[in-house]
Amino acid sequence: MKKRRLSLLLVTSMVLSVSLLSSGCSSKTAASKTAAPDTAAANTTEADTTEASTTASGADALKVGAPLWEVGGKRDKIVVVSDIHLGIEDKYTETLKNLPLLIDFLQRVQNTKDVRELVIDGDFLDEWFLPVYYPSYTDQKQFYKGIIDNNQDVFNELNKVIESGVKLVYVPGNHDMTLEADVLQEAIPKLIQARDATGLGRYQTGDRNEIVIEHGHRYDVFSAPDTVTNKELCGNQDTILPAGYIYARYAATWVLEGRPSVKKDLPVITDVPDKSDTDQYGAYLYYALLKNISERMTPNEDLNEKIFDLHISGFNNAYTYLDFYPAKQADGTISAPVLYKNIQRTWEERQKINGVKVPVSFIEALAGANDWSYYVKQAKAQYLDNPDEKVDVVVFGHTHVPEYHDMSDGKYFLNDGTWIDHNTDYPQATRTFAVITTADKDTASLYQYGEDGSVVDIAASVSK
């Protein structure tokens, strides 16, 4: 896959999701969420899908609750959506303009009688897209209940999806890795939750158990749960939030402040370690990635200001950005001085805790920030090419970039994309979802839900 600019890639690899405010912060109120969508302000260029075939015309789709497609006689379809990023307040949500369309989509799923399952593949609710000046809190359960209250219309429809006979499944993502099962279960009593490690989930389904659905952050250095790196600092193993969380808060602050250009006196490392020293070379590469981004994203807050006031997930202190930023230490090694010290040394243990089947090196995982094909490689290594697995289809979310890989002989890798309003990571498409038809030999595709209610097959346009 074509490589993209380093600065953008680090942001997206951390799934910072700063795109909501790319055109300014929305001032819509909660009451406006159920209003008709503004088709004149289309976010997606529908003309970009001219190669694709339309499975439901706009005219047909405008019928309230019309099926998404011509329904077959058997419930054999698995529908997967992810990266909805609902927020505690409308100004901290990434799906506001698209919210009425999401509700329409859920209503139509209820009447698409060949849908067996609807899987929400992570980043459903969002605890990461918050500025550093958002009031510090200690009760994460209450925080997530606040998100649910702010998006009650969505939860009402999800309960109706289950009532219609569709199995509803949730898989954790990185932005909602701290969402406890009982909070979600209270909101959707008959929901199935696929959790295999803290902050992670792996859902296996299909007629032959041949489909695996994960969010994808398990393989991401910046986004995989991290109960190891800050263990000594905090004196506990509850510090699950990875480095991407800290940077997400910092980047969201910069965007909310209008992207100011502020001179920052960041530590500079001039000596590049030899590649044979994988420990220090890995630490240097981590520094180089953060340096590139930190020079571009410059919020007004001072580097020495204790802006990260954390009293959640094992943390109980306030930290500066320099506490997090790698520098040359007194002993000559490269490391952040306080938060995420020697992060390259904990990656192996993190993978064991996080249930990675086929481990990858820190340097290889770090390089994944430069090339989205890293996730395709992980789908192959962990499942499709793994002789210990009998998997035909792998679906990830996380990157916001829809992808379709037909690997022949009934094997596929799909990324189902996102439903956020402004998909800066892939401007051609938002409101995308995957559909797998389970059978003796599966078939799979990717679709976009149009602002006019059309359902367009985009597999050809995102095929790799």
Side-chain angles (χ1 to χ4, degrees):
M1 182 183 295
K2 183 178 179 181
K3 292 189 175 183
R4 307 171 70 193
R5 285 188 304 123
L6 181 64
S7 58
L8 176 61
L9 282 162
L10 179 56
V11 175
T12 52
S13 74
M14 290 180 175
V15 195
L16 302 182
S17 307
V18 297
S19 53
L20 168 64
L21 296 165
S22 59
S23 59
C25 185
S26 174
S27 61
K28 292 185 180 180
T29 64
S32 71
K33 293 178 184 179
T34 56
D38 180 7
T39 55
N43 169 58
T44 304
T45 306
E46 303 290 353
D48 289 340
T49 61
T50 53
E51 299 178 44
S53 60
T54 303
T55 60
S57 71
D60 290 340
L62 289 176
K63 299 174 183 176
V64 177
L68 292 166
W69 46 71
E70 186 176 343
V71 175
K74 180 182 179 183
R75 282 196 184 269
D76 56 3
K77 290 180 172 55
I78 316 295
V79 177
V80 189
V81 298
S82 73
D83 296 275
I84 298 171
H85 292 279
L86 300 178
I88 184 76
E89 299 176 27
D90 285 354
K91 60 185 174 181
Y92 304 136
T93 191
E94 295 202 77
T95 302
L96 188 62
K97 185 175 79 72
N98 282 341
L99 200 63
L101 292 165
L102 175 64
I103 290 171
D104 290 345
F105 172 79
L106 294 175
Q107 291 172 343
R108 293 177 64 188
V109 166
Q110 296 164 33
N111 291 321
T112 309
K113 298 304 182 182
D114 56 2
V115 174
R116 179 189 299 181
E117 300 178 18
L118 173 64
V119 182
I120 302 173
D121 189 18
D123 285 5
F124 176 34
L125 310 184
D126 199 329
E127 192 185 17
W128 288 29
F129 190 71
L130 295 170
V132 296
Y133 48 78
Y134 184 84
S136 183
Y137 58 94
T138 60
D139 191 336
Q140 285 171 291
K141 283 192 174 184
Q142 194 56 48
F143 179 88
Y144 281 110
K145 287 180 179 179
I147 299 179
I148 292 168
D149 288 345
N150 192 46
N151 297 278
Q152 192 58 56
D153 287 351
V154 174
F155 284 84
N156 291 343
E157 293 305 326
L158 288 171
N159 279 302
K160 291 177 183 177
V161 165
I162 297 174
E163 291 171 7
S164 74
V166 176
K167 181 179 180 180
L168 182 65
V169 180
Y170 161 78
V171 180
N174 53 304
H175 282 235
D176 50 11
M177 66 168 59
T178 60
L179 173 58
E180 294 189 23
D182 62 330
V183 174
L184 205 49
Q185 208 69 50
E186 182 180 349
I188 312 175
K190 294 182 180 179
L191 175 72
I192 303 299
Q193 301 192 47
R195 297 171 181 264
D196 69 315
T198 305
L200 292 159
R202 177 187 289 119
Y203 181 57
Q204 204 148 351
T205 187
D207 286 351
R208 298 170 284 109
N209 227 28
E210 78 283 6
I211 303 166
V212 169
I213 301 169
E214 285 196 54
H215 186 63
H217 63 301
R218 192 188 307 264
Y219 315 106
D220 183 345
V221 165
F222 301 105
S223 301
D226 188 350
T227 57
V228 184
T229 314
N230 296 302
K231 178 172 60 176
E232 183 178 347
L233 170 68
C234 296
N236 62 69
Q237 298 183 33
D238 299 324
T239 56
I240 188 175
L241 294 169
Y245 168 81
I246 297 294
Y247 199 83
R249 298 287 304 271
Y250 193 72
T253 305
W254 176 70
V255 172
L256 283 159
E257 291 175 347
R259 293 182 172 85
S261 179
V262 180
K263 177 66 176 176
K264 303 284 185 180
D265 188 17
L266 292 161
V268 176
I269 299 172
T270 55
D271 298 330
V272 180
D274 193 275
K275 291 183 180 180
S276 64
D277 184 352
T278 55
D279 176 80
Q280 285 303 287
Y281 186 65
Y284 177 81
L285 292 178
Y286 178 71
Y287 153 80
L289 284 170
L290 286 183
K291 174 180 180 292
N292 188 286
I293 291 295
S294 299
E295 289 176 341
R296 187 170 71 86
M297 292 193 173
T298 56
N300 292 316
E301 283 70 13
D302 188 83
L303 291 172
N304 290 295
E305 185 180 349
K306 292 190 173 183
I307 56 176
F308 301 104
D309 190 17
L310 304 178
H311 303 279
I312 54 173
S313 295
F315 291 101
N316 192 27
N317 210 332
Y319 303 94
T320 72
Y321 191 71
L322 290 180
D323 287 337
F324 165 75
Y325 192 80
K328 202 72 168 285
Q329 301 304 310
D331 63 0
T333 61
I334 300 169
S335 175
V338 181
L339 284 173
Y340 304 96
K341 287 179 66 174
N342 296 311
I343 190 172
Q344 76 280 4
R345 298 177 185 173
T346 63
W347 178 236
E348 183 177 353
E349 185 178 354
R350 286 170 65 190
Q351 290 182 90
K352 291 178 182 176
I353 293 170
N354 292 337
V356 175
K357 295 174 181 292
V358 181
V360 297
S361 72
F362 178 80
I363 290 175
E364 182 183 354
L366 200 63
N370 287 309
D371 192 346
W372 290 130
S373 67
Y374 171 74
Y375 292 96
V376 184
K377 292 174 184 175
Q378 291 311 305
K380 291 180 177 180
Q382 307 297 329
Y383 298 108
L384 297 171
D385 294 342
N386 187 340
D388 295 329
E389 302 291 325
K390 295 181 179 179
V391 173
D392 291 341
V393 182
V394 176
V395 184
F396 287 170
H398 189 46
T399 69
H400 295 188
V401 179
E403 292 188 52
Y404 179 83
H405 297 258
D406 184 344
M407 299 176 178
S408 75
D409 199 27
K411 292 203 170 192
Y412 301 87
F413 169 72
L414 307 175
N415 189 299
D416 59 20
T418 183
W419 279 71
I420 61 173
D421 293 344
H422 305 286
N423 187 7
T424 57
D425 303 326
Y426 194 84
Q428 295 93 327
T430 185
R431 302 182 307 276
T432 56
F433 60 100
V435 179
I436 305 104
T437 302
T438 179
D440 291 339
K441 190 173 183 179
D442 292 356
T443 56
S445 197
L446 282 172
Y447 297 91
Q448 181 177 15
Y449 193 76
E451 290 195 345
D452 62 352
S454 59
V455 177
V456 178
D457 188 335
I458 63 169
S461 64
V462 297
S463 180
K464 306 297 179 183

